[in-house]
Amino acid sequence: MQEVIQQFTRGSGAGRNGLISQHKHTQKTMSAHSPNVRVFWLLTTCFCTAFLCLHHALKGEHQSELGGAPDKEPGAFPLFKFSVAFLVCYFLIKYCCWSAPRQSSPLRATPAPQPAPGRKVVLEAYYEHQLKLSPHVLGHSKAHVTKIVSELVKVGKTEHQDCTLTFRGDFVQIGSAYEQHKINSPDCFDVLVPIKVPQVLKLEPAFDIGRKELPFYLRGTAICRLKPSSKSEWSKYKKGFNDCFCVHFQKKSALSSTQVLRWFYSKMQRCLNVIRYQCEERCSVTLSVVNDQLILKLLPKSDYVCCHISMSVRLIPAVHVGDSVFLVAQPWTRTETVLRPLRQEAFWYVYMSKHEQKFLNWLKVQTPNNSCHLKCLQILKALRDVGCKEFDQKFSVQWNTILCSYNMKTALFHLLLKGPLEAWDEKFLMERLEDLVRFWRERLQKQELMHFFLGNKNVPDFLTVPRKIKEVLPVNLLAGFDAVLLDLVSFQLLKTWNRAHLIMKLNNHKHLPRN
């Protein structure tokens, strides 16, 4: 054995690293010892068995010489004892011969090459460095947004005029920043600002207006009709209110989303002028219209470096129509001639933000503590963002429209209800990502992704969705997109997913961790 060791030592090259040589030396020495170990235990077992037999034979002879009468024939070894001894020897030999190779198998004579980092390792690293938000920074950002918006709404509620729109109650925080699936940076927030009509009016929302003859982007909308509760009192303000806020649709008066947006913009600007001086010491505040959306820009003046983040808050006027359902005024950019007789400004988007948050809270309780369902959504959104960098501008816009955050969240909701929630444990992250990509490709190929609430009669009962919402015409979120375009998005999604670890590894090296 010493010669083998010396020969191995002489054979090792002088230029090799000392640690690698010592590791190989140990491996070869162990492999040389392993056959002798098996022989040693085999000989030991045989020796013990022979000693046991000799002991019983001598014991029998000793009893015979003393004149004793043994229970059985002297010198005879019972069949039972022979069987036990044989089984003991068999199992010992089997254990010694089989256990030694298993113990020495991980230590190979030549070290195995180290495998490349797996897809999960790369995705996890990218998630930690690029996608995951710091709870500290997110908390400070939310606090700044809450403080400024609450002061704006408070001023708006105190400015009361007869027979006009006013702010109603508190604002509603919506979107990914408040649903724990925002990525990259806590710099964008969405806030619903509920408004209410005068007390002499009653809201009569019509959700069944979304018929097949409407353009696809108007399906899932509603008409906010108005009905006076007291005709005598309403007659005093009817003309002024109708001229400022209403539009006639199907021979009835309805609240105009376009007129409400104009009023909301000027109202918020007046509120900001009131509180601007109070906010100067804390942060810089500006209000502007970007792409027909009212954006509140905040730049905190904090001593903490982590809080010097420019934040954009999208302020959205909304009408609460009961059962946590909001009708939201959004700017209309469509100019199709077919809409002229339909009076496009009479339509409002239906928002079920409260129900979505309730469903996410329910999932938080029902899924494992380390569930990865939100993490899957975040990674897929990141794949969408890094994937579109390789496309031309036109297809990039279409790609982001089809794979928008709301559609991705809707697809995740449908997938979560298909299987056991225990399967969303963190250790199954890659499997669930595969399922989510596969589900998306199926939806794209079928050109169908149904709204999770509107027209869905299979919504879980604990969400208490109003019956008028369940009974509307089902809304396909992929309606209106060309089949060839959806097939191309499906192909590019699979291509991006197959190269996800390479794309994210490259992007991860380009950017340093923020936190």
Side-chain angles (χ1 to χ4, degrees), residues 161-196:
Q161 298 178 2
D162 292 336
C163 202
T164 186
L165 298 178
T166 56
F167 290 167
R168 174 190 180 274
D170 203 357
F171 57 92
V172 181
Q173 300 165 331
I174 65 172
S176 58
Y178 299 100
E179 295 173 355
Q180 309 302 320
H181 57 84
K182 179 149 182 50
I183 60 175
N184 298 323
S185 177
D187 54 356
C188 297
F189 299 85
D190 294 332
V191 174
L192 290 183
V193 181
I195 58 178
K196 62 179 180 179

Side-chain angles (χ1 to χ4, degrees), residues 127 131 181-183 374-382:
Y127 174 81
L131 305 182
H181 57 84
K182 179 149 182 50
I183 60 175
L374 292 180
K375 191 174 183 178
C376 289
L377 179 59
Q378 291 173 299
I379 293 176
L380 196 62
K381 286 160 63 172

Side-chain angles (χ1 to χ4, degrees), residues 429-480:
L429 173 66
M430 298 306 298
E431 290 83 354
R432 299 294 78 80
L433 276 171
E434 288 274 3
D435 292 342
L436 190 55
V437 172
R438 188 182 303 111
F439 181 79
W440 252 112
R441 296 196 68 226
E442 291 175 357
R443 297 299 93 206
L444 291 169
Q445 291 167 3
K446 292 182 179 179
Q447 307 171 39
E448 182 183 272
L449 176 63
M450 305 310 297
H451 196 285
F452 191 73
F453 294 102
L454 297 176
N456 184 8
K457 295 181 175 59
N458 298 321
V459 178
D461 294 336
F462 71 89
L463 291 176
T464 61
V465 176
R467 196 174 78 175
K468 55 189 176 183
I469 295 293
K470 293 183 179 181
E471 292 180 351
V472 301
L473 193 69
V475 178
N476 181 12
L477 299 177
L478 297 181

Side-chain angles (χ1 to χ4, degrees), residues 1 28-40 96 100-101 104:
M1 184 61 59
K28 194 164 184 179
T29 304
M30 290 297 294
S31 62
H33 273 83
S34 56
N36 292 339
V37 171
R38 291 197 297 269
V39 172
F40 169 76
C96 294
S104 61

Side-chain angles (χ1 to χ4, degrees), residues 405-414 449-452 477:
S405 295
Y406 186 80
N407 288 354
M408 284 192 170
K409 182 171 65 174
T410 301
L412 178 65
F413 285 176
H414 285 295
L449 176 63
M450 305 310 297
H451 196 285
F452 191 73
L477 299 177

Side-chain angles (χ1 to χ4, degrees), residues 84-146:
V84 172
F86 176 77
L87 290 175
V88 171
C89 294
Y90 173 76
F91 284 114
L92 282 175
I93 294 172
K94 183 177 180 181
Y95 172 78
C96 294
C97 293
W98 286 12
S99 62
R102 287 198 300 268
Q103 293 171 357
S104 61
S105 58
L107 302 175
R108 301 178 182 177
T110 56
Q114 293 293 331
R119 290 167 60 88
K120 184 177 182 180
V121 176
V122 176
L123 294 181
E124 290 277 8
Y126 188 82
Y127 174 81
E128 291 292 331
H129 295 162
Q130 303 296 332
L131 305 182
K132 188 177 180 180
L133 299 182
S134 166
H136 174 77
V137 178
L138 182 60
H140 276 278
S141 301
K142 287 181 178 180
H144 281 296
V145 172
T146 301

